[in-house]
């Protein structure tokens, strides 16, 4: 495979400007504001990446570009080599990169779970026999087969999100963009949705792009991107990113709890590694300390 063919998403100087209307003493004035500024990003096929950034930094705007819900006002965004500015490719792009949003209630359209999942492939013109197969497979993949004939509105938030993911899966995407999919869920729902995301990435090879405010979710990604005020300001492995506690704080972000404890202990002179991300790593590092003193 050549280098370009390995990319699922590539942004070259991606810029998105919108017009803000300001009230002034002399009526209204229009002003252009950039939600994304010359962003250059490459996301490899098969990767699980997390996108972080404080409120209003441009994460959702970036996500919407991948699904061709919005088009760049400057620069270019390719999804699997398809330029999202090409209107003829919009449906193929949306089929390639599915999208899951924060509020599960806004994504489920039918009154029966299996009909909801069939909705996407039906719109794509998939034949009924194949739709049946895809619906059953998608439900099994998100471990919701027994709810096939249930009413979505009666499910828990986590179950609804897994149905939303199943609906995307039924369109056989190569990539799924999830915009804060666990933000409205309880801990059990969060865990189940995260487990589903990671399993789909590992076992089905689907590229996962997870936008999240939860650092413990980002820790599990292959790569982390940080956006601040429309700029891509950091990228690297979770260890590379979270070991930079002060830089992250500058961008209004936290680090995982154990990483912060390690950081504070280091400041007190305790010789711990800067890139501790999990409790297991912390325990290991502390045991090492004991054995050397
Ligand atoms: N079409 C638009 N019209 C007006 N404002 C917009 C538009 N698109 C984006 N914005 C603004 O651009 C900025 C980035 O918004 P975006 O929703 O992408 O941020 P975000 O990182 O997803 O934030 P959050 O964490 O709150 O979800 C915000 O200030 C938002 O108000
Ligand atoms: Mg957002």
């Amino acid at each position: 495979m050549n280098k370009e063919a390995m990319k699922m998403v590539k942004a070259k100087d991606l810029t998105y400007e919108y017009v803000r209307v300001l009230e002034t003493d002399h009526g209204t004035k229009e002003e252009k504001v950039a939600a994304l500024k010359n962003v250059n990003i490459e996301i490899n096929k098969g990767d699980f990446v997390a996108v972080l950034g404080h409120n209003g930094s441009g994460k959702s705007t970036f996500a919407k570009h991948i699904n061709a819900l919005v088009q760049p006002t400057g620069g270019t965004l390719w999804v699997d080599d398809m330029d999202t500015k090409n209107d003829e490719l919009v449906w193929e792009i949306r089929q390639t990169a599915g999208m899951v949003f924060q509020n599960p209630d806004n994504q489920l359209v039918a009154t029966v779970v299996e009909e909801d999942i069939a909705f996407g492939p039906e719109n794509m013109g998939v034949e009924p026999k194949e739709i049946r197969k895809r619906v059953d497979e998608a439900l099994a993949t998100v471990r919701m087969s027994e709810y096939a004939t249930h009413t979505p509105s009666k499910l828990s938030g986590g179950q609804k999100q897994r149905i939303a993911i199943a609906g995307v899966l039924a369109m056989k995407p190569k990539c799924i963009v999830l915009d804060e999919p666990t933000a409205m869920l309880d801990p059990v729902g969060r865990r189940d949705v995260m487990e589903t995301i990671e399993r789909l990435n590992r076992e089905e090879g689907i590229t996962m792009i997870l936008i999240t405010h939860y650092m413990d979710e980002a820790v599990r990604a292959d790569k982390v991107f940080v956006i601040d005020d429309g700029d891509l300001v950091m990228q690297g492995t979770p260890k590379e990113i979270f070991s930079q506690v002060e830089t992250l704080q500058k961008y209004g972000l936290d680090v995982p709890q154990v990483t912060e404890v390690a950081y504070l202990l280091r400041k007190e002179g305790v010789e711990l590694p800067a890139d501790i991300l999990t409790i297991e790593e912390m325990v290991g590092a502390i045991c090492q300390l004991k054995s050397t003193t």
Side-chain angles (χ1 to χ4, degrees):
M1 236 196 292
N2 71 35
K3 197 164 162 277
E4 289 311 308
M6 283 167 60
K7 306 275 173 261
M8 180 53 73
V9 172
K10 181 176 166 176
K12 175 93 177 61
D13 298 326
L14 175 65
T15 298
Y16 181 74
E17 286 183 331
Y18 62 93
V19 177
R20 183 159 61 188
V21 182
L22 298 168
E23 301 281 341
T24 69
D25 294 342
H26 319 284
T28 58
K29 198 176 90 182
E30 289 190 349
E31 182 189 56
K32 274 191 178 165
V33 189
L36 292 171
K37 305 167 189 166
N38 292 301
V39 170
N40 291 293
I41 270 188
E42 294 189 349
I43 296 171
N44 287 330
K45 285 185 179 163
D47 267 2
F48 167 21
V49 309
V51 180
L52 303 175
H54 70 84
N55 291 334
S57 57
K59 303 179 300 295
S60 294
T61 306
F62 176 63
K64 286 179 199 157
H65 276 86
I66 300 173
N67 202 239
L69 286 171
V70 290
Q71 293 185 334
T73 55
T76 310
L77 184 96
W78 294 270
V79 173
D80 201 11
D81 261 342
M82 292 178 280
D83 184 341
T84 59
K85 277 204 292 276
N86 184 342
D87 289 328
E88 285 170 16
L89 295 175
V90 164
W91 287 109
E92 207 178 328
I93 290 166
R94 291 199 183 145
Q95 199 176 320
T96 303
M99 184 121 183
V100 175
F101 297 93
Q102 183 179 109
N103 188 343
D105 290 322
N106 295 345
Q107 314 176 63
L108 306 180
V109 288
T111 50
V112 179
V113 164
E114 58 185 7
E115 283 171 15
D116 200 278
I117 298 169
F119 190 76
E122 265 165 13
N123 271 347
M124 280 162 52
V126 176
E127 59 162 309
K129 231 176 93 186
E130 170 69 13
I131 293 179
R132 182 73 258 169
K133 194 167 143 250
R134 287 192 189 188
V135 169
D136 292 341
E137 278 174 5
L139 274 171
T141 307
V142 300
R143 313 262 202 260
M144 288 290 288
S145 299
E146 60 193 291
Y147 294 91
T149 55
H150 285 230
T151 306
S153 60
K154 299 242 171 77
L155 302 176
S156 74
Q159 289 174 327
K160 284 180 192 167
Q161 274 309 41
R162 278 146 68 204
I163 296 302
I165 293 173
V168 171
L169 283 177
M171 293 189 272
K172 300 257 174 217
K174 294 179 184 168
C175 172
I176 303 181
V177 186
L178 306 108
D179 192 352
E180 300 193 41
T182 63
M184 303 180 76
L185 308 183
D186 61 18
V188 174
R190 273 186 66 199
R191 188 200 61 205
D192 289 347
V193 168
M194 277 308 292
E195 190 266 331
T196 305
I197 293 170
E198 290 187 272
R199 189 159 38 79
L200 286 173
N201 173 253
R202 258 191 337 262
E203 293 173 12
E204 316 272 327
I206 300 176
T207 308
M208 287 289 175
I209 302 173
L210 173 68
I211 294 168
T212 183
H213 277 289
Y214 292 110
M215 301 304 143
D216 57 329
E217 294 180 359
V219 159
R220 286 144 83 167
D222 298 313
K223 202 167 175 192
V224 176
F225 294 96
V226 178
I227 301 181
D228 180 66
D229 196 17
D231 287 313
L232 177 69
V233 288
M234 295 172 89
Q235 57 177 308
T237 63
K239 281 194 179 295
E240 287 164 354
I241 298 295
F242 291 117
S243 55
Q244 302 178 58
V245 177
E246 281 157 31
T247 313
L248 283 166
Q249 283 171 347
K250 190 176 82 187
Y251 297 127
L253 298 173
D254 295 325
V255 296
Q257 248 170 8
V258 270
T259 314
E260 184 166 9
V261 172
Y263 167 77
L264 294 171
L265 288 169
R266 273 167 64 83
K267 268 175 65 173
E268 295 298 321
V270 183
E271 285 176 28
L272 289 171
D275 60 358
I276 288 176
L277 298 182
T278 64
I279 290 176
E280 290 73 27
E281 287 171 7
M282 181 67 132
V283 171
I286 289 172
C287 291
Q288 287 280 312
L289 278 180
K290 272 199 175 157
S291 62
T292 55
T293 50

